Every structure is written in structure tokens, then in C-alpha cells.
Amino acid sequence: MGHSPDSALRKVFETGTNEPSSAARTIAAGDISAIIDAGALRRVAYGSLELVRQIDFPVRDQNWGTLPPKVTRETFEEQPDGFRYQRHFEVDDGALSCSVTYQLRSDGTVHAIGEATAARDFITNRTGFTLLHPIAGVAGKPVVVTTSAGTVQAETMPETISPAQPIKDIAGLAFSMDGVSLDIAFSGDVFEMEDQRNWSDASFKTYSRPLVEPFAYVIKAGTTIRQDIHLRITGRPVPVKTGEAEPVQIGPALDEALPDILLAAQAGWLPDSAGTKVLVASGLSALLLRTTADDAATDLTRAGAALQALSGSLDLEIVLEDNAPALPQLERVASACRDAGCRPRHLIALPKAYLKSYQPGGQWPDGLSPYDAYIAARQAFPDARIGSGMLSNFTEFNRCRPDGLPSDFMTHGNAAIVHAADDASVAQTIETLPDIFRSARAIGANRSYRLGLAAIGMRSNPYGEAVSPNPDQIRLTMATWDPRARALFGAAWAVAALAKTEGFAIEAMALAAPIGPFGIFAAPGPVARPWFDDHEEASVYPIFHALRFVAGGGQRLQITGIPTELAALAFASKTGRRMMIANLSGKPHRIRLADTGRVACLDADRFEAAVRNPDWLKSALTPVSTPYVDLVSPSVLFLEAEDTPKAQ
């Protein structure tokens, strides 16, 4: 058994931050319900049917970072025909004063009003309403669009992820979802839609200020902008069938292996000699090193020493200068590899300009191209598999596709906090990963598929000048150092992301780094680390145990009985059959195991023991004494199953 921490410490163990989470409140008017959470109207639903994922009024700076609001007044008001909520807030030391009002009525209408007044000239990339549509019941389905000129046209929502805005010039949208009609009217600006699955957000987003307009723009001092959104909900949802949950059971082998687990590396992310010894014991031995021609000698010397101890393998991501020929740069990297005794198996070379994002129809960089980099990489590294793709998100891969490149594999990364950083939104990104993998497969045809770093934090910012500094470790969009990476949340997110690769034949992926912002080892850094900074004996983060458990995993095994809100994977290991289940749902779940064997749960009660001891799982795994297991959120369950499952 573990030690049960107090509520404040439990939150640190779960999320890595002392920042209080928002106090969500459910409101209702007749059959219509919604959740008020940090000033946003979440999950507008008719009974159990989600119709709108979120309505919010964000204020974004000129790097697309969301400015934190200072709330000055907030009111909740029950009315005879429904509910009214109002929030007043300021950003940037009072430069912009905003108010948002949401009203739900029992007649099936929802009204959102947003206003923003500038005290001084205010520079922004977006200030105004965003409305998020869920994926389920929307993707691939018909939609009726009313334009700003009043014309009505029938469209179809994209099934695979759209690289550009699937719908523009929006004044109204109408959907039919499981027996319910949803009509949405927008006023105060011209709206358009983007497919947020590009950034792993689990939504389509309708927003104002079309992207053809200049960015950034200025709200003049003394100016007030106002926007309105009206929802009209009619019909009745199709009844949902419910029944007793099946037991969770490991099934037969699938025609697919687990991805190889890589550790992302760059300057400052490799462990010292003591950390390398622990890394050897973990079974994690493959590095995905990002370097440049100028840094290669230093980076590869350090990586080569680690790889020698690990008996490991090396993959490379090489960033090239745009204004110099590709081949001489790559030959310098190849020389550094030889000097360090490293032979990369896989590599991709990409011009530095392509770490940024460009609209499909916009101005693309001059100078060195991805094609130039690919051809030169073939010459400089004739024995390696050469990839194509992007070193940032799927967004950039979708907009700059590797058409015409006979590459051996394709690649891209993923960050979960591009648009939103609250726990619920980050957890929802897991829902989108299969759509990303499916869309990438459609783009890449028969290429092998190897993911780069897929994590919560953002490694670099393709959409602005820099990532968001986050020294105090709060939930912040576009930050590299996200506090959840060293918490239970980060471990559960990594397990869930790995689980969602099933069915897509992904060869490899990086879910963490040895140290640094995505580290598996508990090393100090340039940010606050609640609890860890006061406990030097803590040596690893929870994600270490998740990756160690899956290291060297082979054939994937089928799983039945997993609730839709949980994520799970099973696989054959050297010692038998293994399974991991991650709970990021925000609520506890009771499951019934059909398999016997040894089981352990990594949660807040066991956090301290786990982070102090890299070998924690060896003693934590104990015989299954009851088939019923209660999984809190966030947590990870580990099971080493017996060869033959016993009936329960």
C-alpha cells in the first residue's frame, strides 16, 4: 500500500503544479446542460449527446499565446426559464477589459455575448469567440452553411484532416446529430472554420477574424468590439443502449508490433554517467537526436558515449541552415558521426525555415527546400534510411506533404498544448490521435511511419517567435516546460498516446527524453518543480515506469472490455503477456479483470515510492487478489498476466 497525501499534495503529484485547477460547475435549462469552466462554456449537451464542445472568448498575443485573464467579477444566476452566467476579466494589466455572458433557456436556445474594450492600443492575433465542435457526429457529416451575404449552401465536414480552412465566410451553421438539429448563428464579425485535429485538439473550431486578414492587428484605444453566438436546439436524441460492462481481457495476437520507443535528445537532454546507468537498466536504448552541422561534433560525442553504454541505436533529425548548400552541412554531420563511432539507422534533414508553419496558399520560404535536403541526405548517409516530413506537428506535415519524395519513411511530432492547456483539453487530445495517424497514412501512401517527439509540451513554436516561458509551471499554452510531464498525468498521457497507435503500423515514436522538459529522470532545470525541488532523493518521474514496462515490447495483443474513456494496450514481452491501462477521464473507473497474474497501480498514493525508486515496479507488482480494480484519474495500471486466463 502507498501513502495517501493531503489534497494539495495529491494535486501536485497528479499534475505537477501548485496552480489550482478551475472549479467547473454544471448548469442546466430543461434537457440542455453545459459546464462553466474557467469562463468557458463546455460540453453543451442535450441529455448525454454532446452538441458543442466549447464556447470561449480567448485573447491571443502576437505569438498566438493565450493571455491569462484576471477575473474582476463573476456571477451565476438561476432564472425562471434557465440559467445566466457572466464573467468580467482583464488582460495585459488592464489593456483590454472583457465581458462574456452565457444564457441557457429551457426552450432549447443558448446565447453567448462577448465584448472587449481597449484602454490603450492593444496588439492581438485574435480576440473574440471560438466555438469548438466535437469530432463524433460531425466529422464526415453534412453541414448547411449560411454565408455573410445570406446565401445557403450544403457542405460536408472533412473526414481526413483538412490542411486549410474547410469552411469560410460563416454567418451560420446547421448540423443534424443523432436525432437533434443544431442551428448556430454568428454575428459581430465574419467567421471561418479550421480543422483543429491538425494540432491534436479534439474539435473543429469556428472562429472570427479570417486568416486572410493581416496579423497581428490593433484594437484601438477606446474601441469596443462585440460578438454574439445563438444556438437553437430542436428534436430529441436517439436513446443510447446501456448494459453491464464486459470484463477487461487480453486476447489473441494482432498483426502488428508495438512501436519502438525512442528517447528524444538534443543539447542538454542527455543524462550524466549516473543517469546513464539507470537508463541502461530501463531497457530504453534508442536515441532520436536533433542536431545541426555546427553542433554535431559536440552533440554526437555526448550521444555516442551514452549509446556505447546502452548498446543502443541512433536516429537523427538534422536542422539545416537555409542560406547554405545542404550537402556540405550534412557531410559535416556524417563526419561527426564517424568520429563519435555512431551509425545512424534513420534520419531526416530539414531546412530551418520549415520549423515554422505556413498556410497552404500562403508565401512559402525561399532558399533551401525539403527536396534539396532529402537529396543531399541520400548522398551523405548512403547506409541510412532517409525520411521526409516535418520536425514539428502534423499541421506542418499536412500542409507540406512529402509528395514526389521516394523517402523510406515519413515523420512528424505532436504537442498537446497549442490552443488550450487545461487538463480536460489536454486529455481530449488523445481522442484525436487516431485521426492524425489515419490522415498521415493517407498522405504517406505506403511509406513507413515513424513519429518524432509526441508529448504534452511544445518543443518549438512554429506559429510565433518563441515558446511561452513558464518558470512558475502553470498550465500554459505553447510552453516547452509543462508541469504535467513529471506527474501522473504525463505518464497516463504517454500510455494513452502509445495505445492509440494501434492499427496504424507505426514503427517508432518518442514520448520523452532522458532529462530536460520531457525527461524521465528527475533532474533540476530552469523552472520550479513543486515537491521535487525539496526531495533530492526522487530520481525518476512517473513516465519512467510506464516506458520501462513497455521497453522491448513485441507483438501487440487484442484487448476487449475497455471502457471508451480509458486507453489500454497489451503486448507480448520476454516474460509473457503485459497490459497497461491509462485513466485520463477526470473521474474514477472500476474495471473487472478477466486475466490473473500480477498487478500494480501508479497513482497519487504510490507516487512517492515510485519516483524514489527506479525499480519500484518489481515490488509493486503483486498477485491479483480480486478481479475488480478501481482506477482514479490520472493513473496507470500495470498487469503481468498469467499464460492462461482464469474465468471470473
Side-chain angles (χ1 to χ4, degrees):
M1 295 296 291
H3 167 68
S4 184
D6 61 37
S7 58
L9 195 56
R10 178 177 293 271
K11 288 298 182 184
V12 171
F13 292 169
E14 290 174 346
T15 65
T17 178
N18 285 317
E19 180 194 23
S21 55
S22 59
R25 176 171 175 173
T26 300
I27 61 175
D31 294 322
I32 308 303
S33 65
I35 298 170
I36 298 291
D37 187 6
L41 191 71
R42 291 183 179 270
R43 202 179 188 281
V44 179
Y46 190 155
S48 62
L49 177 64
E50 182 182 27
L51 301 171
V52 171
R53 178 140 286 183
Q54 179 176 290
I55 301 174
D56 199 6
F57 196 86
V59 180
R60 295 193 181 273
D61 65 20
Q62 54 194 334
N63 287 321
W64 291 104
T66 302
L67 292 172
K70 178 184 178 182
V71 179
T72 57
R73 190 166 76 253
E74 191 174 36
T75 59
F76 295 84
E77 181 183 354
E78 293 189 25
Q79 298 178 326
D81 65 340
F83 205 99
R84 183 177 185 271
Y85 165 80
Q86 190 170 55
R87 187 193 207 204
H88 297 264
F89 64 93
E90 299 174 348
V91 298
D92 196 16
D93 295 325
L96 197 71
S97 298
C98 306
S99 70
V100 178
T101 304
Y102 303 120
Q103 189 156 15
L104 278 66
R105 294 190 175 92
S106 56
D107 63 358
T109 59
V110 180
H111 186 197
I113 305 166
E115 293 185 343
T117 301
R120 57 179 184 267
D121 286 0
F122 183 77
I123 301 174
T124 181
N125 274 3
R126 176 174 298 147
T127 294
F129 274 127
T130 60
L131 184 147
L132 308 185
H133 311 268
I135 298 173
V138 174
K141 304 296 184 181
V143 58
V144 177
V145 182
T146 302
T147 70
S148 58
T151 60
V152 178
Q153 52 200 41
E155 303 282 356
T156 300
M157 296 292 289
E159 184 73 54
T160 57
I161 300 173
S162 174
Q165 292 75 21
I167 304 175
K168 298 181 179 180
D169 190 15
I170 299 170
L173 297 168
F175 299 89
S176 180
M177 302 167 66
D178 291 338
V180 174
S181 295
L182 171 65
D183 291 280
I184 311 172
F186 303 89
S187 63
D189 202 344
V190 176
F191 284 71
E192 65 184 20
M193 183 187 294
E194 68 185 10
D195 195 335
Q196 286 211 129
R197 294 176 297 172
N198 276 293
W199 298 272
S200 75
D201 299 71
S203 58
F204 299 92
K205 179 169 70 179
T206 299
Y207 58 92
S208 65
R209 189 155 181 109
L211 294 181
V212 295
E213 299 291 339
F215 290 94
Y217 63 96
V218 178
I219 302 175
K220 292 291 188 181
T223 300
T224 297
I225 63 170
R226 171 176 167 138
Q227 296 176 358
D228 291 68
I229 300 177
H230 289 265
L231 276 60
R232 183 166 59 89
I233 303 164
T234 56
R236 185 165 293 277
V238 175
V240 178
K241 294 182 180 180
T242 59
E244 185 179 358
E246 297 179 27
V248 176
Q249 184 167 3
I250 301 173
L254 300 171
D255 187 22
E256 183 181 3
L258 276 180
D260 292 335
I261 302 301
L262 312 177
L263 288 174
Q266 63 181 45
W269 289 9
L270 290 168
D272 58 17
S273 57
T276 300
K277 290 179 180 178
V278 180
L279 194 55
V280 170
S282 75
L284 300 167
S285 61
L287 296 182
L288 176 62
L289 177 68
R290 181 173 297 186
T291 190
T292 67
D294 288 341
D295 298 330
T298 301
D299 292 345
L300 283 157
T301 297
R302 185 72 180 269
L307 288 169
Q308 185 175 9
L310 296 168
S311 299
S313 60
L314 175 68
D315 290 0
L316 288 179
E317 296 176 339
I318 305 170
V319 180
L320 302 175
E321 292 299 326
D322 308 297
N323 56 359
L327 185 57
Q329 296 184 66
L330 289 166
E331 287 175 336
R332 289 170 60 194
V333 179
S335 176
C337 286
R338 290 190 293 271
D339 291 345
C342 298
R343 295 184 63 184
R345 302 174 309 162
H346 307 85
L347 72 89
I348 176 174
L350 197 70
K352 186 177 180 180
Y354 286 82
L355 294 180
K356 294 298 183 183
S357 193
Y358 307 91
Q359 289 294 325
Q363 181 66 42
W364 286 77
D366 296 325
L368 203 62
S369 71
Y371 179 83
D372 298 330
Y374 168 80
I375 295 299
R378 281 282 189 208
Q379 293 179 255
F381 294 91
D383 297 327
R385 296 179 74 207
I386 308 300
S388 58
M390 291 288 127
L391 301 183
S392 50
N393 299 315
F394 172 79
T395 320
E396 289 68 58
F397 178 85
N398 201 10
R399 292 174 175 176
C400 186
R401 301 180 175 191
D403 299 333
L405 291 180
S407 56
D408 297 309
F409 67 93
M410 60 183 180
T411 189
H412 63 82
N414 186 76
I417 53 172
V418 175
H419 291 123
D422 61 278
D423 294 344
S425 295
V426 174
Q428 285 174 348
T429 61
I430 295 298
E431 178 186 338
T432 314
L433 294 180
D435 284 13
I436 287 177
F437 303 151
R438 189 176 300 110
S439 297
R441 273 268 167 239
I443 293 168
N446 295 321
R447 289 178 178 88
S448 297
Y449 191 4
R450 301 177 66 84
L451 287 167
L453 178 62
I456 296 174
M458 180 182 281
R459 188 174 190 171
S460 63
N461 186 357
Y463 319 109
E465 292 300 318
V467 295
S468 300
N470 193 14
D472 297 329
Q473 289 295 269
I474 62 174
R475 300 169 180 85
L476 184 65
T477 59
M478 298 194 179
T480 299
W481 288 84
D482 188 278
R484 287 161 291 206
R486 58 178 173 270
L488 294 163
F489 193 110
W493 191 94
V495 171
L498 183 58
K500 293 302 181 181
T501 62
E502 182 179 321
F504 300 103
I506 294 173
E507 289 184 352
M509 69 187 306
L511 291 161
I515 60 174
F518 307 100
I520 59 175
F521 295 119
V527 300
R529 297 183 309 149
W531 190 84
F532 282 98
D533 286 336
D534 297 323
H535 293 82
E536 294 183 0
E537 75 279 9
S539 59
V540 297
Y541 296 134
I543 192 173
F544 172 89
H545 300 291
L547 298 187
R548 181 176 188 177
F549 192 72
V550 79
Q555 201 75 12
R556 294 189 94 126
L557 305 175
Q558 188 181 76
I559 306 176
T560 56
I562 290 292
T564 57
E565 291 181 293
L566 305 182
L569 67 149
F571 58 96
S573 72
K574 294 178 180 178
T575 58
R577 299 177 303 145
R578 289 185 168 187
M579 178 170 65
M580 287 196 291
I581 303 175
N583 183 4
L584 274 176
S585 68
K587 61 184 181 182
H589 277 269
R590 167 165 281 201
I591 61 172
R592 180 159 58 101
L593 296 174
D595 293 276
T596 56
R598 298 193 305 153
V599 68
C601 191
L602 180 53
D603 55 22
D605 289 346
R606 297 156 182 86
F607 179 92
E608 293 187 60
V611 300
R612 286 185 168 108
N613 182 8
D615 290 326
W616 167 78
L617 257 179
K618 291 182 179 179
S619 58
L621 285 163
T622 56
V624 174
S625 58
T626 171
Y628 293 97
V629 179
D630 293 311
L631 289 180
V632 297
S633 176
S635 66
V636 177
L637 179 138
F638 304 86
L639 174 70
E640 283 192 341
E642 291 182 344
D643 288 339
T644 304
K646 297 178 181 178
Q648 300 291 337

